[in-house]
Amino acid sequence: MSSGPATPTMNIDPNNPNANYENSAQYSQLSQQIVLSQPPVQQTYDRPSQYYSTHIGPTTELEPILLDLSPSTNSSMAGDTYQKSDNRTAFLVDQLGAERSKGATLAALGAVERLVGSYGPLLLQSYLTTTHRNFPVIEEGFFSDYENGRRSNLDPALLAAIYCLTVPWLARDPQRALSPLPDIYQLEDLAFRLFAESLYKPTLSTVQAGILLLQKPDNDSKTLNGQLVGAAYELGLHLDCSTWSSNTAEKALRKRLAWALYMQDKWCSLIHGRPSAISTNNWAVKDLLDEDFGSFRIPSDAATVDEEIARGRSLFREMVSLTEILSTVLDTFYTLRAMQEVEDAGQSGTRLILERAKPVQIRLKNWFAGLPANLKMDNTMTGKPSSTGYLHLAYFATEITLHRCIIRSLETSNGDPYLTHICRSAAKTRLISAMDFVNRLRSEHLNAFWYFPSKVNFALIGTFGSLLLATAPCQEEVEFYRTRLSEYRWTLSVSSKTVDFLAFALQSLDSSSTLLKNLPRRPPTSEITAQLAASNRSMQSTSPPQDETMTEAPPLHLNMLPGNAHSANAPNVGASGLVSPSTSTSSGSTSYEAYAEMFPTQRIG
């Protein structure tokens, strides 16, 4: 591998996609198109295919103190071998017959390669271009073994997963539209079968394969996610490996894999409405550092390779940070206990949510404001795919998840019009910003790698709009959201011609629209204003005691009613009804923080 400019590339005949690239000379030429970002590290992760290790937990029948009596880090006990990674972490190692394991591996690899034929090198190159730079969960050694013909070192489930993920990208190439491509259905069946077999005695490759298989938008991740988390616990991926005796490359891979699995679990929890399988109390993995990414390669021009690698690393790390905030949202508002506490608070439920939401909203605001320049939506090289779209979409999905529980709680609140105005105005701003974001996506974003929850995240924008429509207090606001949702549907229908999985968001929006047909007509704003005026006169005549925290609240005027386009505090909406995404992080009077400030120390429930 070259650590400098790329050498002249081989000529791949577009009219002959079935040309044989299997011989070693052509493999060598193809590998020279792949630029190494920096000199290889001295240590590489040795892919163990002959043994499997299981983490020994602190409450099993094996007493850790007894293991400490052995002076060696590798000792035998009752036919098994255990290995101490540090003073408090040990693994049971199951040695398998080398010949049997090698034979089964080679047979499985042969089955995988027969399904892809001569497309193997092109599929690997496509993976490096579209996925690896933005989602670095595979180590350098895997690609080196592939290119140098060390097939027995490869994991068949992982190789099949890579091929599954990249066949659709190859199908988009107009030069290959008329050429027979690998059968994706047979390939997926084989990949999932190999993955299921590897779960019996999982390795790090098992987790890698599972995570990649879940990146396909049409794969159901509910059950598979639980299996992956279980395998990760077996391998000790939830532990802090910084003090282990393993080499640097393996520890770096473990950290990247651990955080990739953490993200997988939390986003699965969101999009499926299921409890998370990873508990913060049992998660000790350290934050990712630059050195945890080591050297990795992407097919590219040498002039842009450093910039693309830097963006990919920033993207992965910022997605991890955002996922940690999402985890806080789910734990704070969507556990059974949290939802019961809001319900038990009765009419004070919204106040309780706002009090808990304030620090989360501040974290979201700071996260967005602190994004590096190379992850801004407008910082995209023309003609170069950019995956920054999935990061910003995930941000809006997190905001929407936070606001959904606030809007729902208003249905059981005490009917405070100021509270309703603040909360609904903030939610409206988030919705319009999210819709504007989708409207501004360019081909460079649409044709890039999208993280697996993106299919549902696009749908959540429509779902949130439908929630605001269904709970709108006046008919003018109902019509406003109907117009916005109609515009959003048009945007999705246009973009779905490029991105197939957007059809799911369209179907979801259509399903919500069908249910909204039964929505009763709301009273006009004028009628609500008259009712409020009468209520104010009645309250003034009885002169009830005032809550001291509310005495400084501004009076409710007509222009403060939700949905009124002339509100002095309304966001600056253009002719299309869209505003800049930057408004979603503003702290102006349309945000619920203004109301939450009234309860800085109050505890409810």
Side-chain angles (χ1 to χ4, degrees):
M1 297 303 139
S2 170
S3 59
T7 57
T9 62
M10 66 183 288
N11 294 322
I12 300 177
D13 183 1
N15 297 318
N16 186 18
N18 293 315
N20 181 19
Y21 302 121
E22 298 286 351
N23 64 74
S24 59
Q26 287 182 311
Y27 261 92
S28 178
Q29 285 181 304
L30 181 61
S31 68
Q32 288 175 357
Q33 298 180 55
I34 303 173
V35 181
L36 196 61
S37 65
Q38 58 187 22
V41 293
Q42 294 299 314
Q43 294 177 312
T44 59
Y45 168 53
D46 181 22
R47 306 182 62 80
S49 58
Q50 313 303 331
Y51 69 89
Y52 303 90
S53 58
T54 302
H55 173 238
I56 301 175
T59 58
T60 69
E61 76 284 0
L62 300 174
E63 175 52 54
I65 290 182
L66 299 183
L67 299 179
D68 290 340
L69 296 176
S70 172
S72 174
T73 58
N74 292 278
S75 301
S76 297
M77 179 181 61
D80 291 323
T81 301
Y82 74 90
Q83 182 181 61
K84 293 188 292 185
S85 297
D86 59 17
N87 290 332
R88 64 176 183 176
T89 306
F91 290 85
L92 276 179
V93 180
D94 179 17
Q95 299 282 354
L96 297 179
E99 290 302 319
R100 184 189 68 175
S101 177
K102 181 178 179 180
T105 297
L106 291 176
L109 286 169
V112 173
E113 293 290 5
R114 282 192 295 273
L115 285 179
V116 300
S118 60
Y119 280 104
L122 293 177
L123 291 171
L124 183 72
Q125 185 182 29
S126 177
Y127 175 82
L128 289 167
T129 304
T130 60
T131 307
H132 182 59
R133 63 182 177 185
N134 301 306
F135 198 61
V137 295
I138 300 182
E139 72 285 0
E140 158 65 21
F142 179 91
F143 305 113
S144 177
D145 288 340
Y146 184 96
E147 293 151 8
N148 290 286
R150 295 189 290 267
R151 296 307 183 86
S152 61
N153 290 345
L154 301 181
D155 183 87
L158 177 55
L159 183 62
I162 291 174
Y163 287 160
C164 282
L165 200 59
T166 50
V167 166
W169 290 95
L170 205 60
R172 296 182 184 182
D173 187 350
Q175 295 180 337
R176 308 184 189 283
L178 301 178
S179 303
L181 295 176
D183 189 321
I184 185 62
Y185 299 107
Q186 291 187 38
L187 190 57
E188 282 190 1
D189 287 344
L190 178 58
F192 275 102
R193 179 169 61 82
L194 292 172
F195 170 75
E197 291 173 354
S198 69
L199 283 172
Y200 175 62
K201 292 184 181 297
T203 65
L204 295 183
S205 296
T206 303
V207 179
Q208 290 171 313
I211 288 176
L212 291 185
L213 286 173
L214 286 180
Q215 298 312 304
K216 287 182 61 61
D218 52 346
N219 286 338
D220 188 357
S221 55
K222 290 194 293 292
T223 303
L224 187 54
N225 177 72
Q227 293 174 319
L228 270 180
V229 174
Y233 286 150
E234 287 288 292
L235 299 168
L237 281 179
H238 59 300
L239 305 174
D240 174 18
C241 65
S242 58
T243 61
W244 290 8
S245 57
S246 306
N247 65 41
T248 302
E250 180 177 348
K251 289 189 286 188
L253 174 63
R254 278 181 163 272
K255 287 180 67 176
R256 297 199 310 274
L257 263 184
W259 283 114
L261 185 72
Y262 179 91
M263 293 191 292
Q264 185 78 41
D265 176 65
K266 299 305 178 181
W267 287 100
C268 274
S269 177
L270 171 69
I271 66 177
H272 296 305
R274 300 288 188 268
S276 171
I278 293 178
S279 168
T280 304
N281 292 331
N282 287 305
W283 187 257
V285 184
K286 299 294 185 182
D287 291 341
L288 288 168
L289 306 173
D290 286 340
E291 51 264 34
D292 293 323
F293 292 89
S295 60
F296 77 89
R297 52 179 85 184
I298 57 174
S300 178
D301 297 329
T304 60
V305 64
D306 289 339
E307 181 179 350
E308 293 184 24
I309 288 175
R311 180 185 291 110
R313 291 176 176 180
S314 295
L315 181 62
F316 191 80
R317 293 174 68 175
E318 290 298 335
M319 188 64 180
V320 169
S321 298
L322 178 62
T323 304
E324 290 183 280
I325 301 177
L326 172 67
S327 178
T328 301
V329 172
L330 298 176
D331 291 343
T332 305
F333 304 104
Y334 288 96
T335 63
L336 294 179
R337 176 176 295 179
M339 291 187 290
Q340 186 63 51
E341 288 173 350
V342 172
E343 184 176 338
D344 292 344
Q347 293 186 350
S348 299
T350 302
R351 293 190 179 195
L352 176 62
I353 291 177
L354 292 176
E355 177 189 338
R356 295 176 175 178
K358 182 180 177 182
V360 181
Q361 182 63 40
I362 291 174
R363 286 179 65 190
L364 272 171
K365 177 181 178 180
N366 292 339
W367 177 90
F368 188 88
L371 280 179
N374 61 2
L375 295 183
K376 301 295 185 182
M377 284 297 293
D378 55 358
N379 191 349
T380 302
M381 292 182 290
T382 303
K384 291 280 189 179
S386 172
S387 290
T388 54
Y390 86 69
L391 178 67
H392 289 257
L393 176 64
Y395 162 73
F396 284 116
T398 305
E399 284 269 19
I400 284 172
T401 302
L402 178 59
H403 282 264
R404 284 176 78 179
C405 65
I406 297 173
I407 296 301
R408 289 171 183 168
S409 71
L410 293 174
E411 296 298 292
T412 57
S413 68
N414 58 7
D416 183 342
Y418 182 57
L419 171 64
T420 299
H421 165 71
I422 290 294
C423 295
R424 291 191 65 86
S425 294
K428 175 182 177 182
T429 301
R430 268 64 172 186
L431 174 68
I432 295 175
S433 298
M435 289 180 170
D436 180 47
F437 156 78
V438 177
N439 195 47
R440 295 188 301 112
L441 289 173
R442 295 160 28 197
S443 60
E444 288 84 356
H445 303 117
L446 294 173
N447 290 312
F449 166 75
W450 285 88
Y451 192 44
F452 84 97
S454 299
K455 179 179 79 169
V456 178
N457 288 347
F458 277 109
L460 288 179
I461 297 175
T463 299
F464 189 46
S466 298
L467 171 64
L468 290 172
L469 192 158
T471 57
C474 60
Q475 191 61 29
E476 289 86 347
E477 190 173 350
V478 168
E479 298 305 325
F480 172 84
Y481 286 118
R482 277 186 178 150
T483 301
R484 299 288 80 78
L485 288 172
S486 178
E487 293 177 356
Y488 185 58
R489 191 189 189 287
W490 182 87
T491 300
L492 290 176
S493 65
V494 173
S495 298
S496 64
K497 295 179 174 61
T498 302
V499 184
D500 294 340
F501 68 74
L502 286 179
F504 176 83
L506 271 172
Q507 295 170 0
S508 175
L509 184 55
D510 288 343
S511 297
S512 297
S513 298
T514 299
L515 296 174
L516 286 169
K517 290 180 180 179
N518 300 320
L519 183 71
R521 186 173 180 82
R522 297 289 192 259
T525 302
S526 58
E527 183 176 329
I528 296 178
T529 304
Q531 293 174 353
L532 288 173
S535 176
N536 287 336
R537 287 193 297 270
S538 175
M539 292 175 62
Q540 291 172 2
S541 63
T542 57
S543 300
Q546 288 187 321
D547 184 344
E548 292 182 0
T549 61
M550 292 296 293
T551 55
E552 296 182 359
L556 182 71
H557 299 293
L558 176 61
N559 62 4
M560 291 181 62
L561 287 173
N564 193 313
H566 301 290
S567 171
N569 294 324
N572 185 15
V573 182
S576 66
L578 302 177
V579 297
S580 168
S582 63
T583 59
S584 65
T585 61
S586 66
S587 57
S589 58
T590 58
S591 175
Y592 63 77
E593 293 98 309
Y595 194 87
E597 284 287 354
M598 300 177 183
F599 315 103
T601 58
Q602 187 173 359
R603 292 291 181 270
I604 302 174

